[in-house]
Amino acid sequence: MDSTRRFGKYRVEREVLDEQRLEEVTQRKTHSDTHPSVTEWLKDSSRCTVPKLKRSVLSSFPVLYWLPKYSVWDYGMPDLISGISVGIIHLPQGMAYALLASLPPVFGLYTSLYPALIYFFFGTSRHISIGTFTVLSIMVGSVTERLAPDANFKMNGTNITTEIDITARDSYRVQVAAATTVLGGLIQVVLGLVKFGFVGTYLSEPLVRAYTTAAAAHAVVAQLKYVFGVSPTRFSGPLSLVYTLKDVCSLLPQTHLPTVVVSAVSMVFLIAAKELNSFLSPKLPVPVPVELITIVAVTLISNYAHLNRNYTISVVGEIPCGLSPPSVPDMSIFGEVIGDAFALAIVGYAISISLGKTFALKHGYKVDSNQELVALGLSNVVGGFFQCYSVCPSMSRSLVQETTGGKTQMAGVASALIVLVTILKLGPLFQELPKAVLAVIVFVNLKGMFKQYADVVTLWRRNKIDLVVWLVTWVSTLLLNLDLGLAASITFALLTVIFRTQMPTYSVLGNVPGTELYLDIETHREAKEIAGVTIFRSSATVYFANAELYLEALKEKSGLDISKMIIYKRRQEAKQKRRERTAERRAKRQAKRERRAQRAAKQQQQVFSVEEEAGWRDTCMDGNVTDNEEQVWTERENGTVFVIPTSPRAPDGHCRWEYLKGGDPDCTSVGWMSELLQDGDTTTLGSSSEDTLSRDLERVSLGSLGKWTWDIHSIILDLSTANFIDTVAIKAMKNIFQDFSEIDVDIYMAGCQASVVEQLELGDFFNESITKRQLFASVHDAVLYCLNHRGATSFPRCESSVVMHGSTKL
């Protein structure tokens, strides 16, 4: 009673609806009504109206939508404070991450300036901070070092192991980075224009987190040379991480002690300051810029102590003042970096859209995935002309922008102004900054990525397949480098999807008494299997990759091996025809004998009747069933009893075959089985002698073991989980209908979505033998139809577990 009061109760009385009747009741529209022709679609697409033009302009330039509504009073001060806070973080991160990209630090500042201004006009997220990011910086660094290694810029007439033309090398690396960035941006713009924004969904969260975790390891190894002051050989391609780490370890005896001291002191100070900052963050209006304080302090110490001159500590070097003019990237490089550009485009967009949707959900606004792809692409394209490298939002900066009160994209403009002032006026002040400090900043900022190793424990408890994706992504990214690792990870993730659709869960459903609900009988104790009806469901849609497996699972779950049964049935039918021909010849001979003598004919007829009865039984089990056939049928765990009544039961005059299946031991089949034994002959598979047949039928008729209780006359295919069906699956369904009709088992489908029904129509699934009368609106409709169509006319049986007066009435 309590549950009834809490959840309520409902009762529905309606007719049983098959698809044909459902279309009549609901007045379903035709395909032409719901799908305009290509000509109409092109005409509608090319038609230009004022509202349509306005929507197009606002969607392409989102700034025109929100900027006129911008309230300086409400949003001005929060955006300004947030922008200044983010801009201060941009300075150390820009210079530090430029080292990851193997570029001079000033180009990290350029990358923090131009793309943020472009995103202001085209972006739809109000809280993400566009600029440098660890993963993309490492990916760009792998490209620049591969195409512009130190070995290509050795100076003539000097020690080739130490002297390198750094100016020429850095200049070419900037060209490579700019060309890669422009090409990646163009790929993003094209994908956005063709509405391919959903491509980011193929990068699942476990994949992205494992990829960034492995990228953090690449970042650590790439910065070890600055921390220890050594010069390892540069490697690229698969296993480059292993080779680099091995080379760094071999050079540890040559560690530059002053550089290690600067690194250690800076790391201790940064970690302590960040922990204190986290502890006091609830009480602080804005976070303390510990990275900037560290950079300023160490720069002052380096400048006055002359660390570079006295202790040969490597410093940033010359930082030019002012902005460099735009230049067209070297397009001849495009062919060499197209694979890297595509990887940068996909990874950058995946990180961007995941962060954007996170903040949009939290603050109640919408992010357009396709427009985000265009905005990020334009930021990269324009930035590439100003010697920037690939950008995407940073989690740390975006969190600062959101927690410090940022409301709109104006915060990004304010942060860009801070970077602009630094480039124009303050850049030369950082020339004495040790590179080891920038490496330490990278180390400390990777703390969040290192925490992602806890995902292994979490995924072990929640989802083993996601754990495998995580581990494969992590290992492949570590060993195959970032570009090949990403390709291998995505491929493996897609294979897991294919594998899961190829190996779904197949189940037989039973009715929950008193309801119209049907659940898996293996996982729900109260779900009762319907007498004479098998309800089969797959947890995945049926398509070309699993159509054959679907048929095999149906055979296994229903307990009916169609191919063997068809062979057996045809053999028995052939035997029956031979018996009929034999009987016909005997009848002719009998007629001749009757003409000779009426009395003798009557006596001979009586003798013949006895002989015919014995011959009938002998013919059924006369050894025509070979030992191989016998072995095949006795291998079944649950045997199948074939019943061939002598009197025709089907409308066409042929005998109706019945197949008996194991069921409820409480039920008994004495009444209807006794009738059956009296009315017709019975053949049991697996029997090779009359004695064995008699024992089997005696066990069945007495019900002593309760093994045989009902006949399988109908199979219902629950297709409610299918969201599409292809031509291969349609052919498989046709075969199922044809094969089961061969053994006199009716097949019905239930729960098809409208799109699936439409695809069945287009695939010419329905014909004279397979009509929409065999497709029902729900499983319960199909069950009620089966029980009334064959349940009432078939042999008497035990009470059905379906309550006919439940939530649906006939």
Side-chain angles (χ1 to χ4, degrees):
M1 288 300 282
D2 294 338
S3 62
T4 302
R5 291 196 207 98
R6 180 180 176 185
F7 297 109
K9 197 173 182 180
Y10 73 91
R11 184 182 184 90
V12 177
E13 294 189 8
R14 62 170 176 83
E15 61 178 314
V16 173
L17 295 175
D18 55 40
E19 182 63 27
Q20 182 172 329
R21 179 56 180 157
L22 181 64
E23 291 178 3
E24 294 173 358
V25 171
T26 59
Q27 298 183 5
R28 177 191 166 196
K29 298 180 180 179
T30 62
H31 182 269
S32 58
D33 295 333
T34 56
H35 296 77
S37 63
V38 177
T39 305
E40 294 175 349
W41 180 81
L42 290 175
K43 186 183 298 184
D44 183 67
S45 300
S46 59
R47 185 181 297 113
C48 183
T49 61
V50 175
K52 189 175 181 179
L53 178 62
K54 182 180 178 181
R55 287 195 304 269
S56 178
V57 171
L58 291 179
S59 63
S60 301
F61 297 91
V63 66
L64 298 179
Y65 175 77
W66 63 266
L67 189 59
K69 304 176 183 179
Y70 187 81
S71 173
V72 178
W73 182 261
D74 294 331
Y75 302 146
M77 187 56 64
D79 282 342
L80 180 62
I81 295 174
S82 176
I84 293 174
S85 303
V86 174
I88 291 172
I89 299 176
H90 264 300
L91 300 178
Q93 286 190 355
M95 291 188 289
Y97 293 161
L99 295 182
L100 289 176
S102 298
L103 300 174
V106 69
F107 291 95
L109 297 180
Y110 294 156
T111 305
S112 301
L113 171 63
Y114 296 106
L117 296 176
I118 300 301
Y119 186 83
F120 168 80
F121 294 99
F122 298 97
T124 59
S125 177
R126 305 173 190 174
H127 295 91
I128 62 175
S129 174
I130 295 293
T132 57
F133 186 62
T134 313
V135 176
L136 295 191
S137 299
I138 300 170
M139 295 176 72
V140 172
S142 66
V143 181
T144 56
E145 291 187 3
R146 186 183 78 242
L147 298 184
D150 291 344
N152 293 355
F153 299 93
K154 295 174 181 177
M155 298 177 65
N156 296 327
T158 62
N159 186 344
I160 61 173
T161 60
T162 57
E163 297 298 329
I164 297 173
D165 189 349
I166 295 178
T167 303
R169 181 200 67 184
D170 290 346
S171 176
Y172 188 67
R173 285 182 176 179
V174 169
Q175 294 182 37
V176 171
T180 307
T181 300
V182 170
L183 183 57
L186 290 174
I187 292 173
Q188 289 174 328
V189 171
V190 171
L191 292 178
L193 292 177
V194 298
K195 309 300 182 183
F196 210 65
F198 67 88
V199 69
T201 60
Y202 288 101
L203 301 179
S204 63
E205 183 181 359
L207 189 149
V208 172
R209 290 176 69 87
Y211 186 78
T212 54
T213 304
H218 281 275
V220 168
V221 174
Q223 298 304 296
L224 289 177
K225 60 183 179 180
Y226 298 112
V227 173
F228 292 103
V230 295
S231 299
T233 305
R234 296 177 183 273
F235 299 95
S236 60
L239 299 179
S240 60
L241 179 72
V242 178
Y243 296 142
T244 303
L245 186 60
K246 179 182 177 181
D247 199 22
V248 170
C249 292
S250 66
L251 294 174
L252 286 181
Q254 306 174 20
T255 298
H256 190 244
L257 188 58
T259 301
V260 173
V261 172
V262 171
S263 302
V265 172
S266 302
M267 185 174 295
V268 171
F269 175 79
L270 269 175
I271 293 176
K274 277 188 167 289
E275 292 299 325
L276 183 62
N277 199 14
S278 300
F279 179 74
L280 298 176
S281 58
K283 302 177 182 179
L284 299 174
V286 294
V288 178
V290 292
E291 291 99 340
L292 184 61
I293 293 174
T294 303
I295 286 179
V296 171
V298 177
T299 301
L300 291 175
I301 294 173
S302 175
N303 186 45
Y304 287 104
H306 304 290
L307 297 180
N308 177 249
R309 188 174 62 221
N310 296 336
Y311 302 99
T312 63
I313 294 177
S314 178
V315 295
V316 169
E318 182 181 359
I319 297 180
C321 283
L323 300 173
S324 59
S327 61
V328 179
D330 187 358
M331 296 186 182
S332 63
I333 305 176
F334 282 4
E336 300 179 74
V337 300
I338 184 169
D340 304 281
F342 187 81
L344 284 165
I346 298 302
V347 174
Y349 170 68
I351 296 171
S352 177
I353 196 63
S354 60
L355 283 177
K357 288 186 175 181
T358 299
F359 290 117
L361 182 63
K362 182 177 179 180
H363 293 276
Y365 62 92
K366 184 180 179 182
V367 171
D368 187 340
S369 58
N370 292 307
Q371 182 60 28
E372 281 296 295
L373 197 51
V374 172
L376 193 62
L378 290 175
S379 300
N380 281 316
V381 170
V382 176
F385 282 91
F386 288 93
Q387 291 79 51
C388 301
Y389 63 90
S390 295
V391 296
C392 74
S394 164
M395 171 66 82
S396 59
R397 293 195 307 269
S398 299
L399 285 174
V400 170
Q401 182 168 322
E402 190 249 352
T403 55
T404 53
K407 301 295 183 182
T408 66
Q409 291 91 320
M410 288 295 294
V413 175
S415 66
L417 293 177
I418 298 297
V419 178
L420 178 62
V421 171
T422 303
I423 294 174
L424 295 178
K425 298 297 181 182
L426 305 179
L429 299 179
F430 296 103
Q431 292 181 358
E432 293 298 320
L433 173 65
K435 290 183 178 180
V437 177
L438 295 178
V440 168
I441 291 175
V442 173
F443 274 22
V444 175
N445 284 330
L446 292 175
K447 175 185 174 183
M449 293 187 183
F450 290 138
K451 287 183 177 180
Q452 293 177 164
Y453 283 103
D455 291 351
V456 175
V457 179
T458 303
L459 293 176
W460 173 263
R461 294 196 302 262
R462 294 180 179 176
N463 193 308
K464 299 298 190 300
I465 295 180
D466 283 344
L467 174 61
V468 174
V469 171
W470 197 101
L471 293 175
V472 169
T473 302
W474 183 76
V475 172
S476 61
T477 305
L478 283 181
L479 300 181
L480 302 179
N481 221 336
L482 295 173
D483 48 357
L484 294 178
L486 177 64
S489 303
I490 295 176
T491 302
F492 181 78
L494 294 178
L495 286 177
T496 61
V497 175
I498 296 173
F499 175 77
R500 280 186 273 189
T501 57
Q502 278 190 309
M503 303 295 291
T505 301
Y506 297 106
S507 54
V508 174
L509 306 185
N511 177 255
V512 179
T515 72
E516 83 291 355
L517 303 178
Y518 293 84
L519 303 176
D520 189 351
I521 60 176
E522 294 183 1
T523 58
H524 298 80
R525 295 188 182 91
E526 292 300 318
K528 306 299 182 184
E529 193 170 0
I530 309 301
V533 180
T534 296
I535 307 169
F536 180 73
R537 182 175 66 188
S538 169
S539 61
T541 189
V542 187
Y543 70 116
F544 69 92
N546 62 10
E548 188 68 26
L549 299 175
Y550 184 86
L551 177 58
E552 295 299 325
L554 176 59
K555 292 178 182 178
E556 179 182 354
K557 291 291 185 178
S558 64
L560 302 177
D561 193 325
I562 307 175
S563 57
K564 294 178 182 178
M565 287 185 171
I566 291 176
I567 293 172
Y568 188 87
K569 176 187 174 183
R570 289 174 180 173
R571 287 177 179 175
Q572 296 302 318
E573 289 176 345
K575 291 178 183 179
Q576 186 171 352
K577 289 181 180 179
R578 289 197 299 269
R579 288 194 296 267
E580 290 175 354
R581 287 195 297 269
T582 301
E584 185 178 353
R585 288 195 297 269
R586 289 180 178 179
K588 290 180 180 179
R589 291 196 297 270
Q590 181 69 19
K592 292 180 181 179
R593 294 188 186 98
E594 287 178 354
R595 286 194 297 269
R596 294 175 182 174
Q598 183 175 5
R599 184 184 297 265
K602 287 183 180 180
Q603 294 176 353
Q604 190 171 353
Q605 182 180 9
Q606 294 176 356
V607 173
F608 170 75
S609 298
V610 175
E611 291 178 351
E612 183 182 37
E613 183 179 357
W616 182 280
R617 183 172 303 222
D618 292 340
T619 304
C620 289
M621 313 306 298
D622 60 359
N624 290 330
V625 180
T626 65
D627 293 339
N628 291 334
E629 294 170 2
E630 181 179 329
Q631 182 179 4
V632 165
W633 290 104
T634 56
E635 284 176 354
R636 292 266 316 275
E637 180 180 355
N638 293 324
T640 303
V641 176
F642 285 67
V643 180
I644 318 173
T646 54
S647 57
R649 294 178 180 270
D652 56 4
H654 294 293
C655 293
R656 170 71 73 180
W657 288 58
E658 300 290 344
Y659 308 97
L660 309 184
K661 179 181 178 181
D664 189 354
D666 293 335
C667 298
T668 180
S669 51
V670 174
W672 65 268
M673 197 65 196
S674 300
E675 274 187 29
L676 176 63
L677 292 175
Q678 294 172 6
D679 291 343
D681 297 321
T682 304
T683 303
T684 305
L685 298 181
S687 301
S688 57
S689 66
E690 184 175 355
D691 293 338
T692 306
L693 173 63
S694 301
R695 288 196 301 269
D696 289 341
L697 293 181
E698 182 180 2
R699 181 185 64 210
V700 172
S701 62
L702 295 178
S704 58
L705 299 180
K707 185 174 181 181
W708 311 104
T709 59
W710 60 70
D711 59 297
I712 303 174
H713 55 71
S714 303
I715 294 178
I716 300 172
L717 306 179
D718 181 6
L719 298 180
S720 58
T721 58
N723 55 356
F724 73 94
I725 188 168
D726 60 9
T727 55
V728 176
I730 290 176
K731 290 181 180 179
M733 290 295 174
K734 279 187 176 181
N735 291 336
I736 289 174
F737 273 80
Q738 293 171 358
D739 291 345
F740 276 95
S741 65
E742 284 279 331
I743 58 174
D744 297 324
V745 173
D746 296 333
I747 299 291
Y748 303 96
M749 296 191 298
C752 291
Q753 300 181 32
S755 59
V756 174
V757 176
E758 185 176 306
Q759 290 164 359
L760 290 173
E761 292 175 339
L762 296 176
D764 295 329
F765 177 75
F766 299 107
N767 50 41
E768 294 181 358
S769 59
I770 306 175
T771 68
K772 290 184 179 180
R773 293 285 187 185
Q774 294 165 278
L775 175 59
F776 289 86
S778 69
V779 173
H780 196 56
D781 288 88
V783 169
L784 294 178
Y785 176 82
C786 291
L787 294 180
N788 281 273
H789 178 62
R790 292 193 65 172
T793 59
S794 186
F795 306 116
R797 65 196 69 246
C798 308
E799 280 295 321
S800 170
S801 61
V802 174
V803 179
M804 297 296 293
H805 56 273
S807 56
T808 305
K809 265 195 172 183
L810 287 175

